[in-house]
Every structure is written in structure tokens, then in C-alpha cells.
Amino acid sequence: MRVYLTRRLPGESQRRLEQALSVDTWPEPVPPPREELLRGLAEADGMLCLLTDQVDALLLEMAPRLRVISVMAVGYNNVDVPAATRRGILVTHTPGVLTETTADLAFALILAISRRIVEGDRFTRSGNWQTWDPSLLLGRDVHGAVLGLAGFGRIAQAVARRARGFDMTILYHDTRRLPVEEVSLGTEFVSLPELLSRSDFVSLHVPLTPATRGMIGEAELALMRPDAFLINTARGEVVDEAALYRALASGRLAGAGLDVYAREPVDAAHPLLTLDNVVALPHVGSATRATRVRMADLAVDNLLAGLSGTRPPHPVNPEVLGG
Ligand code: GLV
């Protein structure tokens, strides 16, 4: 069996895979170009890829032996899952192991944007700090504020647990109501418009799907209060970035904490990056050493199980397993 890896894996996972199978690894620190992906997949039985690798129907057609696609991420919007399913190819992902780490980062963005942490750092280094000033870098309180969670999956629930420690009022919206988690986390289920209009912080925790693409656009941003903040650690395409820029630049929205963008890497000249009321990170929600090792391990477990015909820990399209 041959597998193609689109990047070297952290920790012991690379070695574990190499001991079990014949492994072809793209050696560069940037994603393989399309023709390299085509070359790598021409003979591969399995693939381990990242969210940066577009795996579409055409690519799958050119991969006649492919049985398993293991994505080292919780989000798998980079893979055409219906096309994979039609071809009987199993797709897997790595949920769970990154939940707490990503929730930490969402909360870090909440604190950073409201307490002007990044602006403050820049100011301290600038040499312009003259004295303790009663009106220097005034921000907004996080404790006691209203947090709106758009999407109420694992990561949103982990954010809610943190918010409880800050005495926040927690609202959530999801396609379905989750009565058990709703009660145990002390949250309130509301419609999306109500969530947008009541929250001091709106934090996005939905997967990218046709239904959520552009879910936060001009109309939704207009429902948010001018003193509210938007936090996005999910996927950039959930938000209409041009509309977000207009809202932030015109003062119709107080600020945004962003870890994800419609196009990544985001262009350094992107209008959003010109604004002081934006804290911008380079898609690092799950980026701690321990979590990345766990994600790589789980991606390898998924791949090995899928190739050996046993049920992997996290299948996305278990229907291809049959029985
Ligand atoms: C990161 O964005 C992931 O989906 O794991």
C-alpha cells in the first residue's frame, strides 16, 4: 500500500506511518502544486492532507487507487466529500483533539480585541508612552458581557465553558437545539437575528458548507450593535469580508478578532489589515505543540484503520464502509 502525504507530520506520526506503509511525502513547507498532487495521487491508496489542499472531483478521477483521504483538521471543506463518496473513498477528519485549544484561541481573540492587547503592545514599543493616563487605550469589559455563539458544536461549547468563568450571558444559535448542553452550560437558544442584535461578542463556530458560506453579510452585520465585536475562528468564507470591512471602517461595528480569511494566506495589503480595530492571526486556532501532535496521530490512526478496512475513529462519510 502506498500513501501520499502533502506535508511532513509533527511528532512520531511520520515515523509510525513510514514503518507501516510505503510513504511519499511532499517535502516543502507550502502546499504541493496541483500537478504534484496529481503525480502523488496517481498511484496512492491513501492520502493524508491538510486544509490547504483542494481535493476536488477532477483530482479524485485521476486517483484510481485511492481508498482513504485523511484530513488533518476538523474542518474538511477542502474535500469534495460527495464526489469521494460516489467513488467509495472514505474521508476522515480529526475532531475532538483540538477543541479546547481552539476555544482558548477564540477566547484570546475576545480578550485581545476588547482590551486592545495588540494595539497596547504596539504602543508600548513605540516610545510614545508618557504617563499613566485615565483615558489611555480604554477598552470594553469582557466579564458580564453577552456572548453569542453562532454554531453550538464542540468548540462553541468549550468557549461557553470559558465564558461562564467570566460571568457572561451566553446565547447560542444552531440548526438544531441542544437542550442538554443548553441547560448544562447555562445558555439560551435564540434565532440568529436575535443573537446578532443582543450580543457584545459574536463568535462563529459553524463548519463551512453551502448553507454557511457568506452567512454573515451586510444584513447580518447591520443587526449587530455598533459597540459589538465579531470573532471568527471557523472559516473565512462564512463572512463577507468586504461587508465586514465597511462595517468596521465606518464605525458600525467596534472590532473583529480574526483567525481565518476567505483566501489564505491573507494578502498583507488586505483592507481588513489596515484597521486598528482588527486583531488578525494566521489561522492558528489549533496551533499548540501538543494539539498538533494529537491531530497528526489521529490523522494517521484514521488513515491506517481506513486502509486496513476497519472503522476509523472519525469517518466523515461512514456510508462508504457499508455493513
Ligand atoms: C482548522 O482550521 C481545522 O479545521 O482543524
Side-chain angles (χ1 to χ4, degrees), residues 298-321:
L298 186 51
V300 168
D301 289 346
N302 278 329
L303 184 59
L304 292 176
L307 287 172
S308 70
T310 51
R311 190 185 172 90
H314 293 290
V316 168
N317 55 350
E319 59 272 28
V320 307
L321 293 166

Side-chain angles (χ1 to χ4, degrees), residues 51 73-75 98 235 283 295:
L51 55 88
V74 61
L98 48 66
R235 284 292 181 268
H283 202 152
M295 289 167 70

Side-chain angles (χ1 to χ4, degrees), residues 145-262:
V146 179
L147 172 65
L149 299 165
F152 200 52
R154 299 177 191 84
I155 297 172
Q157 291 172 28
V159 174
R161 285 197 293 278
R162 285 152 181 76
R164 282 166 67 91
F166 278 72
D167 288 329
M168 297 179 92
T169 298
I170 308 165
L171 313 177
Y172 82 94
H173 178 74
D174 203 311
T175 47
R176 67 212 156 110
R177 194 163 175 173
L178 294 157
V180 175
E181 294 79 359
E182 179 180 322
V183 170
S184 68
L185 291 169
T187 60
E188 183 187 345
F189 178 79
V190 292
S191 69
L192 185 60
E194 183 174 349
L195 180 139
L196 293 167
S197 58
R198 279 178 61 192
S199 299
D200 297 299
F201 297 89
V202 172
S203 190
L204 305 178
H205 299 285
V206 293
L208 178 63
T209 66
T212 62
R213 190 178 295 274
M215 173 182 133
I216 303 296
E218 192 91 50
E220 289 72 23
L221 292 166
L223 290 176
M224 290 179 67
R225 297 207 319 260
D227 59 354
F229 300 95
L230 181 73
I231 308 295
N232 191 2
T233 54
R235 284 292 181 268
E237 287 142 290
V238 172
V239 177
D240 175 346
E241 288 181 346
L244 178 61
Y245 172 78
R246 287 192 296 274
L248 290 167
S250 65
R252 280 184 285 117
L253 191 66
L258 306 173
D259 187 40
V260 290
Y261 309 87

Side-chain angles (χ1 to χ4, degrees), residues 1-5 17-25 45-46:
M1 294 243 200
R2 294 176 62 85
V3 299
Y4 182 72
L5 263 68
L17 207 50
E18 282 168 358
Q19 277 164 1
L21 301 162
S22 159
V23 180
D24 179 8
T25 307
D45 303 283

